[in-house]
Amino acid sequence: MQCKSLRDSDSVIRNFELKYFMASSADSVEALSRFKEENEASFTMLSDKNGSAAKAFGAYNPIGFAKRWTIYVDDKGKILEVDKNVNVRTAGQDLAENLSKLGFPKR
């Protein structure tokens, strides 16, 4: 559901000058490729099977997957905000609103 919300908000999200945008998952590259194709996702997905990326951001759930957080990082690598209350139904719209609120430049 979150993937579809992000996909459906793609045209709004792409109005921002984003250096990198991804979703992280404990699934394999092959599984993510299938998922991305089946859901027509337009964004990069990271296979984080061992949880190292999630652990680096403090978003690792000890039962083996990344917490459903959105981490906003500026172009200098500074974390501007961590949204720990992601609503899967409105994730794309919320992402666009937060990018605007945080002052990410538009194209």
Side-chain angles (χ1 to χ4, degrees):
M1 188 161 303
Q2 182 177 11
C3 178
K4 291 179 181 179
S5 176
L6 293 169
R7 178 201 63 206
D8 293 346
S9 297
D10 182 66
S11 62
V12 176
I13 294 168
R14 290 197 182 270
N15 286 327
F16 291 91
E17 285 190 31
L18 298 177
K19 300 292 182 194
Y20 198 70
F21 178 72
M22 70 175 188
S24 177
S25 172
D27 293 322
S28 69
V29 171
E30 296 78 15
L32 285 177
S33 294
R34 284 191 306 276
F35 181 83
K36 184 174 178 172
E37 184 176 322
E38 290 168 4
N39 290 281
E40 300 174 7
S42 57
F43 49 88
T44 302
M45 294 183 168
L46 170 70
S47 175
D48 187 25
K49 287 192 68 120
N50 65 4
S52 60
K55 289 173 187 171
F57 284 101
Y60 186 73
N61 188 321
I63 62 174
F65 56 88
K67 295 174 183 175
R68 198 176 295 271
W69 292 357
T70 301
I71 302 169
Y72 298 88
V73 182
D74 71 10
D75 60 352
K76 294 174 180 57
K78 179 181 176 189
I79 295 176
L80 301 178
E81 184 172 317
V82 178
D83 180 359
K84 296 181 180 180
N85 298 305
V86 174
N87 180 331
V88 296
R89 295 183 188 278
T90 61
Q93 178 183 345
D94 297 341
L95 177 68
E97 288 173 6
N98 284 328
L99 289 169
S100 184
K101 179 184 85 174
L102 292 168
F104 280 83
K106 290 194 171 185
R107 296 185 191 276

